[in-house]
Amino acid sequence: MTLPDDVARPISAEAARDHDLTRRTVSGLQWSALSGLASAVIQTVYTMVMSRLLEPRAFGLMAIGLVVVNLTGYFAQLGLGRAVIQKPELHDDEVRAAFGSSVGLGLIAAGVIWGLAPVFADLFTEPDAVGVLRALSPMFVLLGLGATADSLLRRYLRFRVRTIAGIISFGVGYLGVGIPMAAAGAGVYSLVGAVLSATALSTVMNYALVRHSIRPTVRLDAYRPLYSFGSRISLLSLTQYAGNNADTAAVGRFEVADLLGQYNRAFYLANLPMQYLLLSASQVLFPSFSAIQGDADRLGRTYLTVSSIAAAIVLPLLAGIGVAADDIVRVLLGPGWEEAASLVPLFVVAAGVKLLTQIASTVAEARGELNALLTRQAVYLVAFVALLIGASSRGLMAYAAAVIVAELVRHLLIVGHVRRSLELGRRGLAAVYVPAIVTVAVVAPAVFGVRVLVENGGLPLLVRFSSEALAGAIALAAAMRLPPLRSVRRELLDRLDQARVAQHGVVRSVVVVMLGPRPTR
């Protein structure tokens, strides 16, 4: 077959609402959260093993390679995948146009990276980066082959099958290919092999799930709407990429690869919950927000609900990571990563701000307000570059501080725009921040107190780490019962009921322990 019935015919935003969008969205979030959790577990195991098999220099070289590859990726994809998701009505010719464009652009990007690898390596004064860049270049072709199938799975919220495929490909690539390569002495190329194999398997499995047409089309009107939205979203993504990687580029340019490796691993640990949970959630929220983009009132309520729930759960988790940073680094990375441990508490602050900014940005993207986002992203980027220039040659802590200030600037700009666009009152936004502040104020001291108690007790490292994690979980469960969290608890329980997540057995027991009884209205 080619496309499922619901893909082959036009589907409007109104039709999506008629198909119980709320239930499908929450169900999608459930599966995406599972994907994020599984990916985090796999990546944690992978990091623990690889950080003991490889030197920090290998991670620094890989960071340089990914900076260049990710930058080129925005030109190789041109936002076509998000255009497929956001377009209110989608036809088969437009699917064919998206696929043909993605493959063609991927081939061009692979050739550019291969040919210009020495130039990029010179920019970072790292000759060894040439081989890494050329080894990574096939990834563009693999991504181009799978981009359209992945976008169709996301558009129609088919996250159960997408999650299963993602977990399999991620586990095989990182654990089944990357670790054996490192153990065999492949060095930095074991990191490359993990990424390429995971991408290749994901591409094959996603296409098997959505066997869309791959025949090219010559109809220009099939390309025009995709490129109109996609080019602007690509430009926006490019500025977001520049902001997300400017600090890595600065550290790579002005510091040695060993220090970049320390910086990179600290940033990774601080952003681990964000990287997978928020990425997974945004993949569901973008198509869901897009389906109700014309109903500002409903979209505003949904935005506030999602933001308050995410902030109340993720921000205390980040706070706990910051407080327990020393033990976390010792457990996950092993000895020799002391500088990374000192940076983690700073990075978790930036990660928390970024969480709320990203949700607001997804709302604006779903409404097609790309010009407003581009303007605000440009202001943020100018401010960030200025801060990084001031931080140069002042040590890694100065770079991390620049990240925090820049994220605060971006947050104020983008959340301010969404508040005006959706006509949200300040009181509504307060409902997002107050519950999160309460949970952080309860969790952080609890983790710190346990850390002080067990630090000098001669206990094994894993016991100390487990005690801190348990204290954080208990504190979060207690905070959820406080009056400021009443509305958050009610909203979260309502959404779980709609998706039938907590109806039976162990899951219901966990929900009751963590959230307590349903608050009365």
Side-chain angles (χ1 to χ4, degrees):
M1 67 178 184
T2 56
L3 288 176
D5 291 340
D6 60 345
V7 179
R9 64 174 182 271
I11 300 293
S12 66
E14 290 78 13
R17 287 196 292 268
D18 292 339
H19 285 86
D20 193 4
L21 180 63
T22 299
R23 182 187 61 79
R24 294 191 299 138
T25 298
V26 179
S27 178
L29 287 170
Q30 174 192 357
W31 282 102
S32 288
L34 175 61
S35 174
L37 178 62
S39 298
V41 170
I42 293 171
Q43 185 69 279
T44 299
V45 173
Y46 173 76
T47 298
M48 292 176 66
V49 176
M50 298 294 268
S51 64
R52 289 163 170 80
L53 293 174
L54 304 176
E55 297 294 327
R57 176 175 173 77
F59 292 97
L61 289 171
M62 186 63 174
I64 291 173
L66 290 178
V67 165
V68 176
V69 166
N70 290 338
L71 172 61
T72 309
Y74 290 107
F75 297 100
Q77 297 167 17
L78 278 182
L80 296 177
R82 293 179 80 82
V84 167
I85 297 170
Q86 192 269 348
K87 196 171 185 296
E89 294 186 354
L90 185 68
H91 299 273
D92 187 68
D93 277 350
E94 291 164 336
V95 174
R96 292 162 56 192
F99 176 77
S101 297
S102 296
V103 174
L105 291 169
L107 288 168
I108 294 172
V112 169
I113 288 294
W114 183 276
L116 296 182
V119 177
F120 292 126
D122 286 343
L123 290 176
F124 291 95
T125 62
E126 275 293 345
D128 291 342
V130 174
V132 175
L133 286 166
R134 287 179 170 169
L136 284 169
S137 62
M139 188 165 65
F140 293 110
V141 180
L142 297 173
L143 289 172
L145 289 168
T148 303
D150 183 64
S151 297
L152 290 171
L153 289 173
R154 292 172 56 193
R155 176 183 173 91
Y156 297 101
L157 301 177
R158 296 180 60 188
F159 283 95
R160 183 180 68 84
V161 292
R162 184 177 181 272
T163 293
I164 295 171
I167 292 173
I168 292 173
S169 59
F170 200 71
V172 170
Y174 281 75
L175 303 183
V177 175
I179 290 178
M181 286 182 65
V188 66
Y189 293 99
S190 61
L191 300 173
V192 176
V195 172
L196 291 180
S197 56
T199 304
L201 185 55
S202 176
T203 293
V204 171
M205 296 182 75
N206 283 344
Y207 181 74
L209 294 169
V210 183
R211 297 179 60 84
H212 60 79
S213 174
I214 60 174
R215 291 184 296 112
T217 180
V218 295
R219 284 185 52 203
L220 293 180
D221 59 343
Y223 292 88
R224 191 174 296 113
L226 297 178
Y227 277 82
S228 175
F229 182 87
S231 59
R232 289 183 295 150
I233 200 70
S234 183
L235 180 59
L236 175 62
S237 298
L238 180 61
T239 62
Q240 291 172 339
Y241 161 84
N244 291 339
N245 292 275
D247 57 326
T248 300
V251 176
R253 180 68 180 84
F254 298 111
E255 309 292 344
V256 298
D258 285 349
L259 286 180
L260 177 58
Q262 296 272 355
Y263 189 91
N264 174 264
R265 290 297 86 187
F267 188 87
Y268 157 74
L269 288 179
N271 283 270
L272 184 61
M274 281 276 300
Q275 182 178 355
Y276 293 108
L277 296 178
L278 181 57
L279 175 62
S280 300
S282 66
Q283 291 175 342
V284 180
L285 294 177
F286 181 66
S288 299
F289 288 164
S290 296
I292 57 174
Q293 58 186 279
D295 189 343
D297 184 62
R298 183 181 181 189
L299 183 57
R301 294 195 307 270
T302 303
Y303 160 65
L304 293 176
T305 296
V306 170
S307 297
S308 61
I309 292 174
I313 295 174
V314 178
L315 294 193
L317 173 61
L318 291 171
I321 291 174
V323 173
D326 288 342
D327 286 341
I328 290 174
V329 168
R330 291 192 190 101
V331 169
L332 297 184
L333 302 184
W337 296 91
E338 290 75 17
E339 289 202 59
S342 67
L343 295 173
V344 169
L346 294 177
F347 283 138
V348 296
V349 176
V353 177
K354 186 176 181 180
L355 165 71
L356 299 179
T357 306
Q358 185 59 46
I359 296 173
S361 181
T362 302
V363 170
E365 288 178 22
R367 284 171 60 84
E369 298 169 344
L370 303 185
N371 293 338
L373 284 179
L374 278 169
T375 301
R376 285 153 180 79
Q377 186 70 18
V379 173
Y380 149 77
L381 191 56
V382 170
F384 194 17
V385 170
L387 289 166
L388 289 173
I389 292 173
S392 61
S393 302
R394 296 178 183 272
L396 298 184
M397 298 286 284
Y399 290 108
V403 172
I404 294 175
V405 176
E407 285 295 345
L408 286 171
V409 170
R410 176 161 58 175
H411 179 74
L412 293 173
L413 291 171
I414 294 179
V415 172
H417 165 73
V418 170
R419 184 182 71 83
R420 290 187 295 273
S421 175
L422 297 179
E423 298 182 355
L424 301 174
R426 289 185 175 84
R427 187 174 181 180
L429 285 178
V432 173
Y433 297 95
V434 171
I437 293 172
V438 171
T439 54
V440 169
V442 172
V443 171
V447 175
F448 180 77
V450 170
R451 178 187 171 185
V452 171
L453 288 174
V454 302
E455 196 168 27
N456 300 317
L459 297 175
L461 177 60
L462 283 176
V463 174
R464 297 206 310 267
F465 174 70
S466 300
S467 300
E468 292 163 352
L470 179 60
I474 294 173
L476 179 58
M480 281 290 178
R481 288 162 167 77
L482 297 176
L485 275 296
R486 181 182 297 273
S487 61
V488 174
R489 288 166 55 203
R490 184 170 56 244
E491 291 286 355
L492 182 54
L493 288 168
D494 286 346
R495 299 303 180 272
L496 293 176
D497 284 346
Q498 289 175 357
R500 299 178 182 176
V501 173
Q503 298 297 314
H504 307 288
V506 176
V507 175
R508 171 177 281 278
S509 300
V510 171
V511 170
V512 170
V513 169
M514 289 300 297
L515 301 181
R518 183 185 300 276
T520 57
R521 294 187 180 273

